[in-house]
Amino acid sequence: MDKYINAPISDEDAKSLHSGDYVYITGTIYTARDAAHKRMAEALSAGQPLPIDMKNNIIYYMGPSPAREGRPIGSAGPTTASRMDKYAPDLLDLGLKGMIGKGKRSQAVIDGIVRNGAVYFAAVGGAGAILSKCIKKSTVIAYDDLGTEAIRELEVENLPVIVVIDSEGNNLYETAIKEYSRV
């Protein structure tokens, strides 16, 4: 089922999404990859504030390529989400409501998703040039020294994603494996 949501995402919207739904996100989301997640974990350990408030926000695991002239960002495809698995449960407990990436997640992340009524979306890998067309504005807001791994605030319009793990823990990857094995 196609659904259109605004970001930041409300608790109600997160809970209304189901594994397998096609979703189009409009609003403000953030990018962060390995190095930014590590730095945020270090800040939390030191009792320092994070550069973004996690409450109801969505993090896109993406490191963009340089922008072409007249564009806010270059290719913007997802990176493998499991690389952020050691950091994600803490961010979910701080109110992170959505994550966009590709690939499977650990049981600790799935438990964090269910515990916090969050959702894990997949973006189509290899489609970064197409996905970048949904990004209307990109601003580095933290960790500029990390280059492509800096935290960016993105304004997106109808960014297409698929719900992989919903707030109840239903997992599209597991469902697909079971369905395929029957064929």
Side-chain angles (χ1 to χ4, degrees), residues 151-172:
I151 295 179
R152 296 172 184 272
E153 181 180 87
L154 303 180
E155 293 299 324
V156 298
E157 185 177 315
N158 293 324
L159 180 71
V161 294
I162 300 166
V163 177
V164 175
I165 303 170
D166 64 26
S167 63
E168 296 177 1
N170 299 306
N171 188 330
L172 180 63

Side-chain angles (χ1 to χ4, degrees), residues 10 12 28 49 72 82 97 129 131 155 158-159 161 168 175 178:
S10 69
E12 295 78 23
T28 302
S82 62
K97 198 54 72 176
L131 293 170
E155 293 299 324
N158 293 324
L159 180 71
V161 294
E168 296 177 1
T175 304
K178 289 176 187 169

Side-chain angles (χ1 to χ4, degrees), residues 42-74:
E42 290 166 351
L44 287 173
S45 292
Q48 299 169 343
L50 295 179
I52 56 174
D53 180 9
M54 290 297 139
K55 184 76 174 150
N56 293 87
N57 276 312
I58 297 172
I59 292 180
Y60 185 11
Y61 303 142
M62 183 266 295
S65 64
R68 291 185 181 177
E69 188 174 333
R71 298 284 305 141
I73 202 164

Side-chain angles (χ1 to χ4, degrees), residues 52-176:
I52 56 174
D53 180 9
M54 290 297 139
K55 184 76 174 150
N56 293 87
N57 276 312
I58 297 172
I59 292 180
Y60 185 11
Y61 303 142
M62 183 266 295
S65 64
R68 291 185 181 177
E69 188 174 333
R71 298 284 305 141
I73 202 164
S75 185
T79 197
T80 304
S82 62
R83 296 194 333 240
M84 275 53 75
D85 280 4
K86 61 184 167 185
Y87 309 113
D90 289 339
L91 299 180
L92 287 162
D93 290 343
L94 290 173
L96 181 65
K97 198 54 72 176
M99 299 159 289
I100 304 169
K102 65 180 181 182
K104 291 185 174 187
R105 304 307 300 266
S106 70
Q107 189 60 51
V109 173
I110 295 168
D111 293 345
I113 288 169
V114 173
R115 183 172 59 250
N116 293 288
V119 65
Y120 169 54
F121 302 100
V124 177
I130 294 168
L131 293 170
S132 73
K133 293 179 180 180
C134 300
I135 299 170
K136 305 307 176 189
K137 185 178 178 187
S138 171
T139 308
V140 173
I141 60 162
Y143 312 145
D144 189 35
D145 61 303
L146 297 179
T148 60
E149 291 210 31
I151 295 179
R152 296 172 184 272
E153 181 180 87
L154 303 180
E155 293 299 324
V156 298
E157 185 177 315
N158 293 324
L159 180 71
V161 294
I162 300 166
V163 177
V164 175
I165 303 170
D166 64 26
S167 63
E168 296 177 1
N170 299 306
N171 188 330
L172 180 63
Y173 293 149
E174 298 303 321
T175 304

Side-chain angles (χ1 to χ4, degrees), residues 3-21:
K3 295 191 176 181
Y4 294 81
I5 63 168
N6 292 314
I9 183 173
S10 69
D11 293 340
E12 295 78 23
D13 279 345
K15 289 179 181 170
S16 76
L17 300 174
H18 302 285
S19 177
D21 285 348

